[in-house]
Amino acid sequence: MALLDVRELWVSYGGVRALKGVSLAVEEREVVAVVGPNGSGKTTLLRATAGITPHQRGSICFASRELTGLPAYRRARLGLIYTPERARVAPELTVLENLRVGALLLRDAQKARATLEEVFALFPCLAQKKHYPAGVLSGGEKQMLLIGRALMAQPRMLLLDEPFFGLSTGMKQVLSQVIRTLPQKGVTVLFSEHDLKAATSLAGRIYGFCQGRIIFAGSSAEFLRSNAAQRIYA
Ligand SMILES: Nc1ncnc2c1ncn2[C@@H]1O[C@H](COP(=O)(O)OP(=O)(O)O)[C@@H](O)[C@H]1O
Ligand SMILES: [Mg+2]
């Protein structure tokens, strides 16, 4: 069974139907992208999976466990860690302090120290600036800090909402290279992105959203060969 298995998910905000029967599955150690225009339902899918937005119908299974009704903090304890779109670091705390916030879930000081070293190995620029207040970091470094903070919780799966938002092409590549190595460390990744180039170059598989429905599911190569991009952005 897939690590994450979402079936026939329906989510409404009052009268607005944001997800209309969405089904998707992510296998352990995959990197998968959800793409689509603004308002197509990407954030709603990630928030519903993380347990922040309730769903009205359908099921979400993670590691063979039904998550429906489980609050967000319990899902996080199962290893499902969510980084919201345009998330912010705590600017007045140092880089190190921001990272330690991510480890609060671990409740194991020794594990937290080892994980911190792993995060610094992935993001050497964070190690260099560990005593700087996070507010002085560049946009790219802040995004690295957010992902580093999520990794401090030792996730089994990361849900990243538009991790490349606002970054330069060079910084997108640096961040992509790091995310690409996460499956080797046992971390599965589901991320949202509207830049199709960034999405298809990083993800092995793509789900294409349009108005709350999935209208494409397949490999990145199939996505690029198909007319899915035109249909999604029609
Ligand atoms: N808190 C909310 N209240 C009401 N409608 C919302 C809310 N959040 C999102 N929506 C609506 O749900 C739909 C999907 O939005 P969203 O999941 O944010 O899409 P995306 O992340 O792809 O831009 C849109 O029509 C949006 O206007
Ligand atoms: Mg969004």
Side-chain angles (χ1 to χ4, degrees):
M1 199 185 183
L3 179 62
L4 177 70
D5 195 354
V6 175
R7 297 225 175 134
E8 278 297 310
L9 203 66
W10 290 74
V11 176
S12 299
Y13 301 99
V16 181
R17 284 183 166 177
L19 295 185
K20 303 166 192 165
V22 163
S23 299
L24 62 83
V26 181
E27 301 289 335
E28 185 117 48
R29 293 172 196 249
E30 269 196 302
V31 177
V32 174
V34 294
V35 303
N38 276 338
S40 58
K42 305 181 299 294
T43 295
T44 303
L45 168 75
L46 297 179
R47 287 173 59 93
T49 304
I52 293 156
T53 298
H55 61 272
Q56 284 79 44
R57 275 161 62 191
S59 71
I60 305 171
C61 278
F62 178 69
S64 305
R65 206 176 149 156
E66 174 58 53
L67 299 184
T68 302
L70 214 59
Y73 78 93
R74 296 274 306 277
R75 299 187 197 197
R77 268 194 207 148
L78 292 175
L80 195 52
I81 301 292
Y82 166 67
T83 302
E85 59 187 335
R86 304 184 204 8
R88 293 189 54 202
V89 297
E92 68 289 355
L93 297 186
T94 66
V95 167
L96 191 56
E97 286 164 343
N98 268 279
L99 289 171
R100 285 196 176 131
V101 170
L104 290 177
L105 214 62
L106 276 182
R107 292 178 295 188
D108 179 332
Q110 210 170 349
K111 252 192 193 169
R113 271 194 297 277
T115 311
L116 186 65
E117 291 314 312
E118 283 180 37
V119 169
F120 283 155
L122 282 176
F123 298 113
C125 61
L126 296 183
Q128 272 165 22
K129 298 188 176 171
K130 64 182 172 188
H131 297 304
Y132 286 32
V136 308
L137 300 180
S138 71
E141 289 167 340
K142 281 182 185 145
Q143 192 57 52
M144 289 177 186
L145 181 54
L146 288 167
I147 293 177
R149 187 172 74 184
L151 289 172
M152 287 298 290
Q154 297 202 330
R156 219 167 140 186
M157 181 164 192
L158 279 184
L159 304 170
L160 305 174
D161 201 353
E162 298 204 21
F164 302 110
F165 182 82
L167 300 187
S168 67
T169 310
M171 195 47 86
K172 280 183 190 176
Q173 280 167 3
V174 171
L175 199 59
S176 273
Q177 266 159 23
V178 174
I179 295 174
R180 205 170 276 130
T181 66
L182 295 179
Q184 298 153 26
K185 300 178 190 303
V187 182
T188 303
V189 180
L190 179 63
F191 71 102
S192 77
E193 181 52 52
H194 64 249
D195 176 350
L196 298 178
K197 207 171 154 212
T200 50
S201 70
L202 172 58
R205 284 195 304 118
I206 300 280
Y207 285 99
F209 274 67
C210 186
Q211 297 182 6
R213 290 198 169 89
I214 289 175
I215 65 160
F216 174 88
S219 70
S220 287
E222 284 161 355
F223 182 85
L224 292 170
R225 278 199 304 269
S226 73
N227 66 351
Q230 290 95 298
R231 286 193 290 132
I232 287 167
Y233 288 95

